[in-house]
């Protein structure tokens, strides 16, 4: 398994992580046994970086991950988040410590220095090893980093979501020695090429309400994915592998966490670590899928207000 370092002199983790959110919520029906089998397969293949949060479920995703880790805790670099709902993560995960503890979203009524100061107390108490932030602006990251070392910053980043690059977040991470952890690096599944119609989604699938999966936006984005599929054929890889390889190529401090609850998707995603993109490949991808091309906002207006705190 290829590895990467989260930030300057930070912990070493597998080159890809596993986002566990969809195992419990947001993307239609799920099966706990299948999800646990997928986590176990990930560990067998050397993937050791698991990502969850108290809000997923809520609560049930941490409990699911906790069951999957029984007897395997030492094989895992475990990340979870707090900040949306009341938390008791150690109990639900059935662990004595969390490797990476993120603030899920910034509360703008509380100075970030106060929040990170409280998080640092958990480090000193031995309950948390490393601190992280999610969806924050460069200035917020810098202020937080002055209080306590921030090991990783998590934000949405993919071919169709370039905000962290355009807003200077990637650059701030590199400058400060902070690892960058992209969630939804496959555009919530859209960049895999497997989604052909909004009718592919279950009635309770979150994507039915996401602007990029609506009406004309869906059609325009589907046309972009067709171009990605063509490039993937030229590289003899899948569209998902090409999209993940592009994210990985944006910097050595980047560790994407594509989510899946199925073993076949997990194994396909890990194949992205073997895809080598030369400068000519990156230029070809940029030519057909430049920044700002995706149609529609990445979140609803209400959710966007919670981002980039």
């Amino acid at each position: 398994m290829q590895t990467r370092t989260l930030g300057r002199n930070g912990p070493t983790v597998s080159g890809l992580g596993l986002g566990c959110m969809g195992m419990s919520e947001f993307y239609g029906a799920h099966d706990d046994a299948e999800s646990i089998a997928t986590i176990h397969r990930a560990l067998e293949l050397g993937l050791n970086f698991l990502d969850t949060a108290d809000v997923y479920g809520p609560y049930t995703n941490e409990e699911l991950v906790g069951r999957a880790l029984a007897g395997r805790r030492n094989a895992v670099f475990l990340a979870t988040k707090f900040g949306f709902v009341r938390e008791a993560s150690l109990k639900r995960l059935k662990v004595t410590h969390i490797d990476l503890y993120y603030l899920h979203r910034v509360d703008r009524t509380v100075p970030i220095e106060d929040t990170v100061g409280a998080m640092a107390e958990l480090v000193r108490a031995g309950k948390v090893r490393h601190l992280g932030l999610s969806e924050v602006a460069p200035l917020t990251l810098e202020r937080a980093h002055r209080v306590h070392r921030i090991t990783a910053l998590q934000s949405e980043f993919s071919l169709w979501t370039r905000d962290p690059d355009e807003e200077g977040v990637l650059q701030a991470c590199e400058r400060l020695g902070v690892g960058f952890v992209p969630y939804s690096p496959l555009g919530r599944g859209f960049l895999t090429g497997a989604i052909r119609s909004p009718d592919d989604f279950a009635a309770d699938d979150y994507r039915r309400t996401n602007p990029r999966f609506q009406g004309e936006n869906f059609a325009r984005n589907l046309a972009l994915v067709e171009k990605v599929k063509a490039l993937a054929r030229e590289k003899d890889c899948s569209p998902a592998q090409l999209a993940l390889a592009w994210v990985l190529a944006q910097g050595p401090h980047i560790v994407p966490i594509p989510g899946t609850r199925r073993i076949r998707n997990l194994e396909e995603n890990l194949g992205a670590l073997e895809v080598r993109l030369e400068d000519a490949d990156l230029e070809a991808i940029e030519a057909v899928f430049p920044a700002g091309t995706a149609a529609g906002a990445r979140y609803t207006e209400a959710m966007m207000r919670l981002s980039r705190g």
Side-chain angles (χ1 to χ4, degrees), residues 6-11 130-132 144-151 177:
L6 280 178
R8 192 176 300 129
N9 302 317
H130 302 274
L131 300 185
H145 199 65
R146 286 196 288 268
V147 176
H148 188 281
R149 180 188 175 193
I150 302 300
T151 295

Side-chain angles (χ1 to χ4, degrees), residues 18-36 38-39 50-53 55-57 60-62 64-65 81 104 154 183-184 188-189 202 204-207 257-262 265:
L18 176 61
C20 299
M21 180 185 77
M23 296 177 178
S24 300
E25 194 179 14
F26 297 110
Y27 297 127
H30 50 270
D31 181 294
D32 284 359
E34 181 181 34
S35 296
I36 289 174
T38 299
I39 292 174
L50 301 184
D51 182 272
T52 181
V55 74
Y56 301 157
T60 56
N61 194 244
E62 285 187 327
L64 171 72
V65 172
K81 313 174 198 71
H104 208 158
Q154 182 177 138
Y183 70 83
S184 295
R188 305 186 186 279
D204 60 346
D205 193 305
Y206 153 79
R207 289 169 291 190
I257 51 169
T260 185
R261 50 183 179 252
R262 298 181 176 88
N265 294 341

Side-chain angles (χ1 to χ4, degrees), residues 180-191:
F180 184 73
V181 180
Y183 70 83
S184 295
L186 293 174
R188 305 186 186 279
F190 205 89
L191 297 173

